[in-house]
Amino acid sequence: MELIALGYLGGVFWLLKGATPAQKRRIGGAFSLLIATFIIGSLWIRYQTGFFRLSRMEWYNADGSIPLGKWAIPWYIVLVLLLLLLILFRVIQKIKTMPANKRWLPFVLAVFFTIVYLAAAYFSLFFVFFLFFPFAP
């Protein structure tokens, strides 16, 4: 989970390529702080629930994943929405530099991308829930 968060941060920095230095500092710093908070919180919850002293199956059978899921699910939703905002911010920056008569196509594609992105995030939320919360006995 921590490696996925670091990969997410790498994707954010890749999206910031070509941004102004002030945007890189502010946006990159905010995302870095959020990811650091998420990683520290998830490691603290794992420590409190005995993840590091029990085997993985013992930890899972003792419902150690439920508190971790209660921490990870809201962060998943927030980080997915923030990534969408960052992508749209970069698209709008590119659209601003285009001639006025050619702006409509990227705008329509951005709206379509947003709809597809939100649908994919909604469906992947089910799999994230399935990782942390046992649905079947």
Side-chain angles (χ1 to χ4, degrees):
M1 187 166 61
E2 289 79 16
L3 292 177
I4 292 172
L6 291 175
Y8 172 89
L9 188 59
V12 166
F13 286 138
W14 181 76
L15 281 171
L16 288 175
K17 193 171 79 172
T20 65
Q23 290 172 343
K24 287 180 182 179
R25 274 193 309 274
R26 289 182 185 143
I27 297 172
F31 274 95
S32 297
L33 183 64
L34 287 172
I35 294 299
T37 304
F38 171 73
I39 290 173
I40 290 169
S42 66
L43 289 174
W44 181 252
I45 290 171
R46 285 182 182 190
Y47 174 75
Q48 285 183 332
T49 57
F51 179 80
F52 298 111
R53 63 180 162 77
L54 301 173
S55 71
R56 185 161 178 87
M57 281 309 293
E58 288 175 334
W59 178 75
Y60 193 76
N61 289 337
D63 292 332
S65 64
I66 292 175
L68 187 60
K70 288 180 181 179
W71 170 260
I73 297 299
W75 277 96
Y76 170 80
I77 294 169
V78 167
L79 292 175
V80 161
L81 293 176
L82 286 175
L83 184 63
L84 176 63
L85 287 176
L86 179 62
I87 292 170
L88 292 177
F89 173 72
R90 296 295 293 159
V91 168
I92 290 170
Q93 278 187 329
K94 295 294 182 188
I95 289 175
K96 282 183 178 179
T97 63
M98 299 178 79
N101 61 348
K102 297 190 180 201
R103 290 183 184 175
W104 67 272
L105 182 61
F107 180 75
V108 169
L109 290 175
V111 170
F112 179 72
F113 173 78
T114 301
I115 293 169
V116 170
Y117 181 89
L118 289 175
Y122 179 74
F123 287 123
S124 65
L125 184 62
F126 170 75
F127 295 108
V128 174
F129 266 109
F130 188 71
L131 288 174
F132 295 109
F133 300 107
F135 289 119

